[in-house]
């Protein structure tokens, strides 16, 4: 099914989440950085249109894409960036101001891949927020980028974020989509579930949750995690939690319940 522009499919929750992530004091995104999405009941994906700023979006600033069509391009070795761009264009939406047609963000791939990889993504990742927080990108652009998040460093991070997925840098668009989906599949194979936080080297974060509140919680805790790590590195280095301690923590019923409540916004 081709990409369409249909504001009637854009829910109030998605618009509210998008504006929240774009609030200047949060420093998650500036200008037209970042994007959000919501998975519809029919399996299609509502995603922010290219060029729209998070803080001021309306229902007009989203398009509806077919996950299968997007991923067919990403996983076709012969496909190019131009092929991906063409799939994301909502036909018949040329604007009178000469701005061209509406099309999904070039980073639609980081949203579509989640739903291509996990059969239960609607229950665990109905909403996705991709942002570029300054504190996080600072570490992700450093020489310790992957090392910094190799282990959890404090208990609340374990509760809200869980085990993050690190994805090495690739040019945003089809190149990133190919690396991203490969890493996602490996993560799901290893852990039996999607990550709640994906860290994109030299780029930003992707927060996955069943609710808008969950996306906000994961995004906010990722920023705190970056600040904690930067502070620790500034005074000699990070002393992470041991893997054994984390596993024991995750196994507790009260922690599992708290994690579920936080990601669901309760």
């Amino acid at each position: 099914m081709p990409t369409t522009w249909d504001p009637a499919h854009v829910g109030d929750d998605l618009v509210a989440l998008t504006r929240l992530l774009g609030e200047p004091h949060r420093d998650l995104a500036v200008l037209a950085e970042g994007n959000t999405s919501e998975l519809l009941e029919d399996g299609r994906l509502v995603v922010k249109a290219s060029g729209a700023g998070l803080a001021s979006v309306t229902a007009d600033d989203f398009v509806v894409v077919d996950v299968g069509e997007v991923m067919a391009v990403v996983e076709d070795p012969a496909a190019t960036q131009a092929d991906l761009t063409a799939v994301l264009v909502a036909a018949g939406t040329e604007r009178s101001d000469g701005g061209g047609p509406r099309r999904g963000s070039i980073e639609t791939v980081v949203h579509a891949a989640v739903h291509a990889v996990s059969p239960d993504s609607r229950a665990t990742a109905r909403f996705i927020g991709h942002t570029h927080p300054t504190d996080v990108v600072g570490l992700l652009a450093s020489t310790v980028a992957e090392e910094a998040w190799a282990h959890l460093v404090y208990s609340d991070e374990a509760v809200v974020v869980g085990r993050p997925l690190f994805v090495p840098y690739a040019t945003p668009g089809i190149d990133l989509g190919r690396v991203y989906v490969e890493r996602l599949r490996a993560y799901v194979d290893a852990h039996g579930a999607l990550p709640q936080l994906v860290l994109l080297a030299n780029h930003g974060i992707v927060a996955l949750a069943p609710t808008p509140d969950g996306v906000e919680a994961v995004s906010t805790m990722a920023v705190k995690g970056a600040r904690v790590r930067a502070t620790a590195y500034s005074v000699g280095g990070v002393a992470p939690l041991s893997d054994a301690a984390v596993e024991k923590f995750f196994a507790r019923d009260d922690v599992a319940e708290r994690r579920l409540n936080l990601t669901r916004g309760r």
Side-chain angles (χ1 to χ4, degrees):
M1 186 177 298
T3 295
T4 62
W5 176 66
D6 188 349
H9 280 92
V10 183
D12 292 341
D13 286 346
L14 180 59
V15 172
L17 170 64
T18 307
R19 289 179 176 175
L20 181 150
L21 295 179
E23 291 173 353
H25 74 275
R26 295 177 182 272
D27 192 29
L28 296 174
V30 299
L31 303 176
E33 283 185 340
N35 33 81
T36 56
S37 69
E38 179 181 3
L39 188 66
L40 298 176
E41 293 284 355
D42 65 7
R44 290 184 297 162
L45 191 65
V46 179
V47 66
K48 187 184 76 69
S50 180
L54 297 184
S56 58
V57 298
T58 68
D60 288 346
D61 295 315
F62 293 83
V63 296
V64 183
V65 303
D66 185 290
V67 171
E69 286 203 357
V70 172
M71 295 310 300
V73 173
V74 171
E75 302 199 79
D76 177 357
T80 66
Q81 182 59 49
D83 295 322
L84 177 60
T85 299
V87 165
L88 297 174
V89 172
T93 60
E94 289 74 11
R95 288 167 286 187
S96 59
D97 61 4
R102 288 179 171 84
R103 64 174 173 81
S105 165
I106 203 61
E107 293 170 331
T108 295
V109 292
V110 304
H111 301 260
V114 169
H115 305 298
V117 165
S118 176
D120 67 342
S121 61
R122 181 169 175 79
T124 59
R126 175 181 170 188
F127 290 90
I128 299 175
H130 168 48
T131 57
H132 305 164
T134 302
D135 290 294
V136 183
V137 175
L139 273 181
L140 290 175
S142 76
T143 57
V144 296
E146 186 168 10
E147 168 197 308
W149 275 275
H151 301 281
L152 297 171
V153 299
Y154 61 100
S155 58
D156 275 355
E157 177 181 52
V159 172
V160 179
V161 170
R163 303 176 183 87
L165 167 63
F166 179 85
V167 176
Y169 181 78
T171 305
I174 197 167
D175 291 343
L176 174 59
R178 287 168 174 159
V179 175
Y180 182 84
V181 73
E182 178 185 344
R183 292 295 178 113
L184 267 180
R185 285 194 174 118
Y187 184 101
V188 171
D189 288 345
H191 301 290
L194 288 164
Q196 292 170 267
L197 174 66
V198 181
L199 301 154
L200 305 176
N202 298 85
H203 188 153
I205 64 173
V206 185
L208 290 61
T211 66
D213 287 346
V215 171
E216 179 189 6
V218 172
S219 302
T220 301
M221 194 61 75
V223 172
K224 179 176 179 180
R227 292 174 179 167
V228 168
R229 286 168 171 79
T231 300
Y233 279 120
S234 74
V235 294
V238 172
L241 302 177
S242 71
D243 291 343
V246 171
E247 291 301 327
K248 182 178 179 181
F249 191 65
F250 280 163
R252 285 171 38 181
D253 291 342
D254 62 320
V255 172
E257 181 181 4
R258 186 177 174 214
R259 290 190 69 204
L260 181 63
N261 289 342
L262 282 169
T263 57
R264 291 187 180 279
R266 295 198 297 269

